[in-house]
Amino acid sequence: MGAVGAPTAPAGAEVVRLTGIWKSFGATMVLRGIDLAVSRGEVLALCGPSGSGKSTLLKCINGLELVDRGEIVVGGHRKQFTRFGTLDPRIGMVFQSFNLFPHLDVLQNLVIGPRLVIDTPRKAAEERALAYLERVGIADKAHAYPETLSGGQQQRVAIARALCMEPEVMLFDEPTSALDPEMINEVLDVMTDLAGDGMTMIAVTHEMGFAREVADRIVFMDAGQIVESGPPEEFFQSPKEERTRQFIGKILRH
């Protein structure tokens, strides 16, 4: 196994493309014609007010929500949206809540996906799982049960579980929002290390320090649309749009 998070294709090659993505829940339009491309090895931070469509966008990329219209291409393959919850091993996702199986120990939580979805032999799946647990700093918790772990440890297990599928892109949906303040950095440190290893990442986050220091690009969303996109320095120092300036003014006061 190569380095954790090592890209599987040349850096800079396009790995995710969204074209004309529309999504509604009943009469409520949540995404309005989203166009977005992410290059391999790029770290993209999705920011914006609550209800702007950020989490829904991630769920559409992963197939957890069906789009009304538009096209999503991951790793050169057009995603076929035929039913909810179709697991795509090319896409790893980490949620706000940890979603670990409480009746399985940590190692079993990590092994079950590769065994069932991509038919990885048990020994290989366990070796990979232990390597990723080592990578996120909790190898000693392999046989612990989720209820015995702190929130930060559980979220690191969730990250390791997603990595065990060896995805082409990792999606993070506010992964620190359910954590106590002292546990946030241990999760952000893992994400920062993954970014340094070349993992393609799309992260919905309110952690502006992480976005400023780690992201290659920040995408600001509001009312289901992309308002502005640019490198962190430009986003924070010289935003082009008035709505972006309003958002930055509010978050930097807190």
Side-chain angles (χ1 to χ4, degrees), residues 227-228 239-246:
V227 176
E228 188 161 341
K240 297 181 177 64
E241 303 296 329
E242 176 59 27
R243 182 66 186 92
T244 311
R245 289 192 287 270
Q246 293 172 357

Side-chain angles (χ1 to χ4, degrees), residues 193-232:
D193 287 346
L194 289 175
D197 282 344
M199 172 60 75
T200 308
M201 296 164 52
I202 305 174
V204 172
T205 182
H206 293 297
E207 299 291 339
M208 290 297 103
F210 171 83
R212 185 193 291 265
E213 295 171 14
V214 180
D216 298 299
R217 182 162 46 118
I218 297 178
V219 171
F220 173 61
M221 292 183 63
D222 189 35
Q225 295 179 305
I226 293 176
V227 176
E228 188 161 341
S229 174

